[in-house]
Short mmCIF file of all heavy atoms in Angstrom, two decimals:
data_model
loop_
_atom_site.label_atom_id
_atom_site.label_comp_id
_atom_site.label_asym_id
_atom_site.label_seq_id
_atom_site.Cartn_x
_atom_site.Cartn_y
_atom_site.Cartn_z
N CYS A 322 10.84 20.70 -10.46
CA CYS A 322 10.93 21.50 -11.69
C CYS A 322 9.65 22.30 -11.87
O CYS A 322 8.55 21.81 -11.61
CB CYS A 322 11.13 20.58 -12.90
SG CYS A 322 11.30 21.50 -14.45
N VAL A 323 9.81 23.53 -12.35
CA VAL A 323 8.65 24.38 -12.60
C VAL A 323 7.74 23.75 -13.66
O VAL A 323 6.55 24.03 -13.71
CB VAL A 323 9.12 25.80 -13.03
CG1 VAL A 323 9.75 25.76 -14.42
CG2 VAL A 323 7.98 26.80 -13.00
N SER A 324 8.31 22.88 -14.49
CA SER A 324 7.52 22.22 -15.54
C SER A 324 6.71 21.04 -15.02
O SER A 324 6.06 20.36 -15.81
CB SER A 324 8.43 21.74 -16.67
OG SER A 324 9.12 22.82 -17.24
N ASN A 325 6.78 20.78 -13.72
CA ASN A 325 6.03 19.64 -13.17
C ASN A 325 4.54 19.96 -13.15
O ASN A 325 4.10 20.88 -12.48
CB ASN A 325 6.53 19.33 -11.76
CG ASN A 325 6.03 17.99 -11.27
OD1 ASN A 325 6.10 17.00 -12.00
ND2 ASN A 325 5.50 17.96 -10.06
N GLU A 326 3.77 19.16 -13.89
CA GLU A 326 2.32 19.31 -13.87
C GLU A 326 1.79 18.69 -12.57
O GLU A 326 2.48 17.87 -11.96
CB GLU A 326 1.70 18.56 -15.05
CG GLU A 326 2.22 18.97 -16.42
CD GLU A 326 1.56 20.23 -16.95
OE1 GLU A 326 0.70 20.80 -16.24
OE2 GLU A 326 1.91 20.63 -18.08
N VAL A 327 0.57 19.03 -12.20
CA VAL A 327 -0.04 18.37 -11.04
C VAL A 327 -0.04 16.87 -11.32
O VAL A 327 -0.48 16.43 -12.38
CB VAL A 327 -1.48 18.89 -10.81
CG1 VAL A 327 -2.19 18.05 -9.76
CG2 VAL A 327 -1.46 20.35 -10.42
N GLY A 328 0.51 16.09 -10.38
CA GLY A 328 0.60 14.64 -10.59
C GLY A 328 1.81 14.20 -11.37
O GLY A 328 2.00 13.01 -11.61
N GLY A 329 2.67 15.15 -11.78
CA GLY A 329 3.81 14.83 -12.63
C GLY A 329 5.00 14.25 -11.87
O GLY A 329 4.99 14.14 -10.65
N ASP A 330 6.03 13.86 -12.65
CA ASP A 330 7.17 13.20 -12.01
C ASP A 330 8.48 13.99 -12.13
O ASP A 330 9.56 13.43 -11.99
CB ASP A 330 7.35 11.78 -12.55
CG ASP A 330 7.49 11.76 -14.06
OD1 ASP A 330 7.61 12.86 -14.65
OD2 ASP A 330 7.49 10.66 -14.64
N LEU A 331 8.37 15.32 -12.36
CA LEU A 331 9.59 16.13 -12.41
C LEU A 331 9.90 16.65 -11.01
O LEU A 331 10.01 17.85 -10.75
CB LEU A 331 9.43 17.30 -13.39
CG LEU A 331 9.18 16.89 -14.85
CD1 LEU A 331 9.04 18.12 -15.74
CD2 LEU A 331 10.31 15.99 -15.35
N VAL A 332 10.03 15.72 -10.08
CA VAL A 332 10.33 16.03 -8.69
C VAL A 332 11.07 14.82 -8.14
O VAL A 332 10.79 13.68 -8.51
CB VAL A 332 9.02 16.34 -7.91
CG1 VAL A 332 7.97 15.27 -8.11
CG2 VAL A 332 9.27 16.54 -6.42
N GLY A 333 12.08 15.08 -7.30
CA GLY A 333 12.85 13.97 -6.75
C GLY A 333 13.52 14.41 -5.46
O GLY A 333 13.70 15.61 -5.21
N ASN A 334 13.84 13.43 -4.65
CA ASN A 334 14.43 13.73 -3.35
C ASN A 334 15.78 13.03 -3.23
O ASN A 334 15.87 11.84 -3.52
CB ASN A 334 13.47 13.25 -2.25
CG ASN A 334 13.94 13.64 -0.87
OD1 ASN A 334 14.45 14.74 -0.68
ND2 ASN A 334 13.78 12.74 0.08
N ALA A 335 16.80 13.79 -2.83
CA ALA A 335 18.12 13.17 -2.69
C ALA A 335 18.78 13.64 -1.42
O ALA A 335 18.39 14.66 -0.83
CB ALA A 335 19.00 13.52 -3.89
N ILE A 336 19.79 12.86 -0.99
CA ILE A 336 20.65 13.31 0.09
C ILE A 336 21.90 13.87 -0.57
O ILE A 336 22.65 13.14 -1.23
CB ILE A 336 20.96 12.16 1.07
CG1 ILE A 336 19.64 11.74 1.72
CG2 ILE A 336 21.99 12.61 2.10
CD1 ILE A 336 19.76 10.68 2.78
N TRP A 337 22.03 15.17 -0.47
CA TRP A 337 23.12 15.87 -1.13
C TRP A 337 24.27 16.06 -0.16
O TRP A 337 24.05 16.26 1.03
CB TRP A 337 22.65 17.25 -1.63
CG TRP A 337 21.38 17.23 -2.41
CD1 TRP A 337 20.11 17.42 -1.92
CD2 TRP A 337 21.22 17.02 -3.82
NE1 TRP A 337 19.19 17.33 -2.94
CE2 TRP A 337 19.83 17.08 -4.12
CE3 TRP A 337 22.12 16.78 -4.87
CZ2 TRP A 337 19.33 16.92 -5.40
CZ3 TRP A 337 21.61 16.62 -6.15
CH2 TRP A 337 20.24 16.69 -6.41
N LEU A 338 25.48 16.04 -0.69
CA LEU A 338 26.67 16.31 0.11
C LEU A 338 27.17 17.67 -0.35
O LEU A 338 27.43 17.86 -1.55
CB LEU A 338 27.71 15.22 -0.18
CG LEU A 338 29.00 15.23 0.62
CD1 LEU A 338 28.72 15.00 2.09
CD2 LEU A 338 29.93 14.14 0.08
N GLY A 339 27.26 18.63 0.59
CA GLY A 339 27.62 19.95 0.11
C GLY A 339 28.07 20.93 1.18
O GLY A 339 28.30 20.56 2.34
N ILE A 340 28.17 22.17 0.71
CA ILE A 340 28.68 23.28 1.52
C ILE A 340 27.66 24.41 1.44
O ILE A 340 27.20 24.71 0.33
CB ILE A 340 30.02 23.79 0.94
CG1 ILE A 340 31.05 22.69 0.95
CG2 ILE A 340 30.56 25.01 1.67
CD1 ILE A 340 31.51 22.29 -0.40
N PRO A 341 27.32 25.07 2.55
CA PRO A 341 26.36 26.18 2.46
C PRO A 341 26.89 27.30 1.56
O PRO A 341 28.06 27.69 1.66
CB PRO A 341 26.24 26.67 3.90
CG PRO A 341 26.71 25.54 4.75
CD PRO A 341 27.73 24.80 3.94
N VAL A 342 26.04 27.82 0.69
CA VAL A 342 26.44 28.92 -0.19
C VAL A 342 26.80 30.15 0.64
O VAL A 342 27.70 30.91 0.28
CB VAL A 342 25.32 29.26 -1.19
CG1 VAL A 342 25.75 30.38 -2.13
CG2 VAL A 342 24.92 28.02 -2.00
N ARG A 343 26.12 30.31 1.78
CA ARG A 343 26.38 31.51 2.59
C ARG A 343 27.84 31.57 3.04
O ARG A 343 28.43 32.65 3.11
CB ARG A 343 25.42 31.58 3.80
CG ARG A 343 25.71 30.64 4.94
CD ARG A 343 24.70 30.78 6.08
NE ARG A 343 23.58 29.86 5.94
CZ ARG A 343 23.62 28.58 6.36
NH1 ARG A 343 24.69 28.09 6.95
NH2 ARG A 343 22.57 27.80 6.18
N ASP A 344 28.45 30.39 3.30
CA ASP A 344 29.86 30.39 3.73
C ASP A 344 30.78 30.86 2.59
O ASP A 344 31.81 31.49 2.84
CB ASP A 344 30.27 28.97 4.16
CG ASP A 344 29.57 28.56 5.45
OD1 ASP A 344 28.88 29.42 6.05
OD2 ASP A 344 29.68 27.37 5.83
N LEU A 345 30.40 30.52 1.37
CA LEU A 345 31.21 30.96 0.22
C LEU A 345 31.02 32.45 -0.03
O LEU A 345 31.98 33.18 -0.27
CB LEU A 345 30.79 30.16 -1.01
CG LEU A 345 31.23 28.72 -0.92
CD1 LEU A 345 30.32 27.81 -1.69
CD2 LEU A 345 32.66 28.60 -1.41
N LEU A 346 29.75 32.89 0.03
CA LEU A 346 29.48 34.31 -0.21
C LEU A 346 30.17 35.16 0.85
O LEU A 346 30.64 36.27 0.57
CB LEU A 346 27.98 34.58 -0.22
CG LEU A 346 27.23 34.05 -1.46
CD1 LEU A 346 25.73 34.27 -1.31
CD2 LEU A 346 27.75 34.72 -2.73
N ALA A 347 30.27 34.63 2.08
CA ALA A 347 30.90 35.39 3.16
C ALA A 347 32.36 35.69 2.83
O ALA A 347 32.89 36.74 3.20
CB ALA A 347 30.79 34.62 4.48
N GLN A 348 33.01 34.75 2.12
CA GLN A 348 34.41 34.98 1.75
C GLN A 348 34.54 36.17 0.78
O GLN A 348 35.55 36.87 0.77
CB GLN A 348 35.00 33.75 1.06
CG GLN A 348 35.16 32.55 1.97
CD GLN A 348 35.88 31.41 1.27
OE1 GLN A 348 36.52 31.59 0.24
NE2 GLN A 348 35.78 30.22 1.84
N ALA A 349 33.50 36.35 -0.07
CA ALA A 349 33.57 37.42 -1.07
C ALA A 349 33.04 38.74 -0.52
O ALA A 349 33.49 39.81 -0.92
CB ALA A 349 32.78 37.01 -2.31
#
Side-chain angles (χ1 to χ4, degrees):
C322 182
V323 70
S324 300
N325 193 46
E326 303 279 1
V327 171
D330 56 8
L331 298 180
V332 50
N334 185 39
I336 296 184
W337 311 93
L338 184 64
I340 299 116
V342 181
R343 75 180 92 84
D344 292 353
L345 289 151
L346 288 176
Q348 292 186 16

